[in-house]
Amino acid sequence: MTTKDEIRHKVWKQLTDEKNGRFPFPLVNRIPNFKGAEKAAAHIASLSIYKEAEVVKVNPDAPQLPLRKQILVDGKVLLVPTPRLKAGFIMVKPEWVPPGEERKAASLSHIKSYGKVIPLTEIPPIDLMVVGSVAIHPDGRRLGKGEGYADREYAIVRELGNPPVPIVTSIHSTQLVHEDIPRDTYDLTVDWIATEKGMTKTNTPYEKPNGVEWDHVSDEEMEEMPVLKELWDLKYKNKL
């Protein structure tokens, strides 16, 4: 069986060799930006689940910037996890962004000037989640860059009582792979795949996490991601 890391490196190499990647470089060890990211974002914005959503959580990586901008243009609330989940989630309400500044407000370098980091207790009900990916199988199995943030973010939101929501990813069409992606119980699967060519529904047969698998959380991760400690204290500290 091909390992997760072998699949990742194959995709990063193909994107690089075929010049379908975009700044920032190198593409390795990150959610790769790609040519056609704007088209993929437009395809997501055409979905009824997007149109009906009031609060959308999107990863902070470069290829999802066009969608983050569109969310604010469309008058929706944008939720973005802080990089490496150091400080939880940033919320940007559309009324906080002057017209014409949506792209700037959605960029990682300026988002905190327009939004604010909120505690877990203030996260509004989320209607749709968008994740970045390195590789996606047509059946919805997903590989991120290998650090588990998207999986954890979804698990955290579910722990807080948010009902299951659709998961969408945007990738370049060459990131769609047919290798048998190994899957762990805490891995997040996706329901919709957006590429520069259009949308595909995965009809994934795999269950999504219902919460954090605390057995897989190390003391070091608790320190590195204070949001996990905040969640543990909120839900379990006084029940032990």
Side-chain angles (χ1 to χ4, degrees), residues 92-110:
V92 187
K93 291 190 174 182
E95 59 266 30
W96 298 346
V97 181
E101 294 183 30
E102 291 89 358
R103 190 179 191 283
K104 186 177 178 184
S107 70
L108 198 54
S109 50
H110 296 285

Side-chain angles (χ1 to χ4, degrees), residues 123-124 126 233:
I123 293 177
I126 296 168
D233 289 349

Side-chain angles (χ1 to χ4, degrees), residues 1 29 33 92 133 141 162 169 184 190 228 230:
M1 180 184 276
N29 294 328
N33 199 3
V92 187
S133 302
R141 282 177 288 171
N162 209 95
T169 193
D184 294 296
V190 304
L228 286 173
E230 183 186 350

Side-chain angles (χ1 to χ4, degrees), residues 60-135:
D61 302 280
Q64 283 70 44
L65 173 58
L67 183 67
R68 295 196 299 272
K69 170 198 168 185
Q70 191 61 43
I71 286 165
L72 295 172
V73 169
D74 291 338
K76 302 177 187 295
V77 175
L78 173 65
L79 274 181
V80 179
T82 53
R84 308 187 79 82
L85 272 179
K86 288 286 187 189
F89 295 81
I90 304 165
M91 179 171 67
V92 187
K93 291 190 174 182
E95 59 266 30
W96 298 346
V97 181
E101 294 183 30
E102 291 89 358
R103 190 179 191 283
K104 186 177 178 184
S107 70
L108 198 54
S109 50
H110 296 285
I111 190 168
K112 285 185 180 177
S113 302
Y114 293 85
K116 64 176 184 176
V117 177
I118 55 172
L120 294 181
T121 51
E122 290 182 22
I123 293 177
I126 296 168
D127 304 306
L128 179 66
M129 291 178 68
V130 180
V131 296
S133 302
V134 174

Side-chain angles (χ1 to χ4, degrees), residues 10 12 15-16 23 28 31 44 68 80 85 88 101 105 113 117 126 130 149 163 183 215-216 222 225 228-229:
K10 179 186 171 187
W12 284 321
L15 276 174
T16 303
F23 179 86
V28 176
I31 300 295
I44 293 174
R68 295 196 299 272
V80 179
L85 272 179
E101 294 183 30
S113 302
V117 177
I126 296 168
V130 180
Y149 293 111
R183 185 176 171 275
D215 291 347
H216 293 283
M222 279 286 212
M225 294 183 234
L228 286 173
K229 187 173 187 310

Side-chain angles (χ1 to χ4, degrees), residues 1-233:
M1 180 184 276
T2 311
T3 68
K4 290 181 175 182
D5 234 25
E6 286 169 342
I7 297 169
R8 289 186 186 102
H9 281 277
K10 179 186 171 187
V11 168
W12 284 321
K13 185 178 187 303
Q14 186 177 354
L15 276 174
T16 303
D17 290 349
E18 296 177 0
K19 295 183 168 50
N20 283 318
R22 288 201 307 205
F23 179 86
F25 294 104
L27 304 180
V28 176
N29 294 328
R30 66 171 86 240
I31 300 295
N33 199 3
F34 61 90
K35 293 177 180 176
E38 293 80 7
K39 289 181 180 177
H43 293 314
I44 293 174
S46 72
L47 287 174
S48 59
I49 53 172
Y50 171 85
K51 291 176 180 176
E52 293 163 8
E54 295 178 8
V55 179
V56 186
K57 188 206 82 76
V58 187
N59 58 300
D61 302 280
Q64 283 70 44
L65 173 58
L67 183 67
R68 295 196 299 272
K69 170 198 168 185
Q70 191 61 43
I71 286 165
L72 295 172
V73 169
D74 291 338
K76 302 177 187 295
V77 175
L78 173 65
L79 274 181
V80 179
T82 53
R84 308 187 79 82
L85 272 179
K86 288 286 187 189
F89 295 81
I90 304 165
M91 179 171 67
V92 187
K93 291 190 174 182
E95 59 266 30
W96 298 346
V97 181
E101 294 183 30
E102 291 89 358
R103 190 179 191 283
K104 186 177 178 184
S107 70
L108 198 54
S109 50
H110 296 285
I111 190 168
K112 285 185 180 177
S113 302
Y114 293 85
K116 64 176 184 176
V117 177
I118 55 172
L120 294 181
T121 51
E122 290 182 22
I123 293 177
I126 296 168
D127 304 306
L128 179 66
M129 291 178 68
V130 180
V131 296
S133 302
V134 174
I136 293 286
H137 190 280
D139 68 8
R141 282 177 288 171
R142 169 190 174 274
L143 289 179
K145 59 180 180 283
E147 295 176 334
Y149 293 111
D151 309 317
R152 287 269 166 86
E153 289 153 15
Y154 182 83
I156 288 167
V157 167
R158 292 287 285 119
E159 285 259 5
L160 292 170
N162 209 95
V165 295
I167 306 295
V168 181
T169 193
S170 57
I171 56 169
H172 190 270
S173 53
T174 57
Q175 293 173 257
L176 201 59
V177 302
H178 292 273
E179 284 91 344
D180 186 18
I181 294 178
R183 185 176 171 275
D184 294 296
T185 54
Y186 47 77
D187 286 338
L188 184 63
T189 51
V190 304
D191 302 297
W192 288 91
I193 303 165
T195 74
E196 76 284 5
K197 296 177 180 178
M199 294 295 312
T200 305
K201 191 173 186 180
T202 67
N203 296 308
T204 185
Y206 300 104
E207 293 288 323
K208 294 179 175 61
N210 288 318
V212 175
E213 291 192 14
W214 294 102
D215 291 347
H216 293 283
V217 179
S218 66
D219 292 341
E220 187 182 8
E221 286 174 319
M222 279 286 212
E223 282 187 31
E224 288 176 353
M225 294 183 234
V227 68
L228 286 173
K229 187 173 187 310
E230 183 186 350
L231 178 62
W232 176 268
D233 289 349

